[in-house]
Amino acid sequence: MKKNILFALALIASIFTNAQTPTTDNIKSTNEVVTADTVEWGWLNPLRGDKSPAAGKLWGDRTKNEPAGFLVKFNKGFSSPPHIHNITYRGVVIKGLLHNDDENAEKQWLPAGSYWQQPAGEAHITAADGKENMAFLDIQEGPYLVKPTSEAFDNGERPVNVDKTNLVWLNADDIEWVSEKSNVETAFLWGSHKKNQLRASLIKLPAGFKGKMKKSKFKF
């Protein structure tokens, strides 16, 4: 059994302006548990069929103009053609090795627990090199589309690739809302902790953890 369980937490919003990721959260979210056997799988890019990675729905609908979260499976050796997306997405590597960068960049293989951000309009490729490869993707608006690099544009955001060894994990010694007894750790990914501002963090819970997560202040 792994000593730690890694959770990707993303707070979502439905406002989208000038191709930039929303910064405020004006909707109410609901608690929902999706088990592995109930994930609905399809193709991430239906136009490519089985040449595309598989995509498993967690929440929302990535084909509509709404926030969504989904899993993506890549075969070993997969490498996409250069392309762009019409919206910004963020990803966490769950299993295997993934690379996401400019087509001419040296491969930076991100292992499980790593994080990346792909801005809307930025030309890139995505590749996989593990025996099994899976990532969690989060979008704040949709639909999630794949477009040719001839339509590339600069939306003001910049790509981010963070290897798991470069994540900064904080515990009760660093954050007032984490109980010392819980042994919970968190790594901030993006956004602001000001009221009503969107943000996302990774939360690391020790094996056997029992406690409560309070959304308002993330108390453990």
Side-chain angles (χ1 to χ4, degrees), residues 94-106:
I94 303 299
K95 186 186 297 185
L97 296 168
L98 295 177
H99 166 79
N100 197 81
D101 209 333
D102 179 88
E103 64 175 308
N104 297 315
E106 292 291 330

Side-chain angles (χ1 to χ4, degrees), residues 15 41 61 129 137 186 208:
I15 300 175
W41 290 95
D61 187 339
D129 197 46
L137 300 191
T186 183

Side-chain angles (χ1 to χ4, degrees), residues 135-173:
F136 160 74
L137 300 191
D138 168 69
I139 61 174
Q140 304 302 313
E141 64 286 324
Y144 174 95
L145 302 176
V146 179
K147 295 189 173 186
T149 56
S150 59
E151 298 184 32
F153 59 91
D154 184 351
N155 79 335
E157 297 174 328
R158 293 295 174 259
V160 175
N161 288 280
V162 184
D163 187 279
K164 70 172 185 176
T165 58
N166 289 326
L167 287 171
V168 178
W169 290 98
L170 307 175
N171 55 29
D173 293 333

Side-chain angles (χ1 to χ4, degrees), residues 14 20 25 27-28 31 34 42 58-59 66 68 108 169 175 179 186 216 219:
S14 59
Q20 293 216 336
D25 184 5
I27 64 173
K28 292 183 178 180
N31 292 328
V34 181
L58 296 180
W59 72 81
E66 63 184 45
Q108 179 186 352
W169 290 98
I175 307 173
S179 169
T186 183
S216 59
K219 287 187 175 180

Side-chain angles (χ1 to χ4, degrees), residues 36-191:
D37 60 334
T38 60
V39 174
E40 300 174 19
W41 290 95
W43 298 118
L44 184 63
N45 183 0
L47 294 177
R48 298 194 73 206
D50 59 7
K51 293 182 179 179
S52 166
K57 176 183 176 180
L58 296 180
W59 72 81
D61 187 339
R62 67 181 183 278
T63 68
K64 297 180 180 179
N65 186 16
E66 63 184 45
F70 47 100
L71 299 174
V72 182
K73 289 181 181 179
F74 304 85
N75 292 328
K76 179 177 175 60
F78 170 83
S79 185
S80 71
H83 63 283
I84 71 164
H85 298 286
N86 58 312
I87 49 90
T88 295
Y89 78 85
R90 296 176 172 91
V92 176
V93 183
I94 303 299
K95 186 186 297 185
L97 296 168
L98 295 177
H99 166 79
N100 197 81
D101 209 333
D102 179 88
E103 64 175 308
N104 297 315
E106 292 291 330
K107 292 293 191 299
Q108 179 186 352
W109 295 112
L110 298 175
S114 302
Y115 165 79
W116 83 94
Q117 174 178 310
Q118 182 59 49
E122 184 87 13
H124 65 287
I125 66 166
T126 302
D129 197 46
K131 184 177 180 181
E132 294 182 88
N133 306 278
M134 182 183 293
F136 160 74
L137 300 191
D138 168 69
I139 61 174
Q140 304 302 313
E141 64 286 324
Y144 174 95
L145 302 176
V146 179
K147 295 189 173 186
T149 56
S150 59
E151 298 184 32
F153 59 91
D154 184 351
N155 79 335
E157 297 174 328
R158 293 295 174 259
V160 175
N161 288 280
V162 184
D163 187 279
K164 70 172 185 176
T165 58
N166 289 326
L167 287 171
V168 178
W169 290 98
L170 307 175
N171 55 29
D173 293 333
D174 310 297
I175 307 173
E176 62 180 12
W177 61 80
V178 175
S179 169
E180 215 172 303
K181 297 179 181 178
S182 69
N183 293 320
V184 169
E185 296 180 86
T186 183
F188 300 137
L189 297 181
W190 60 270

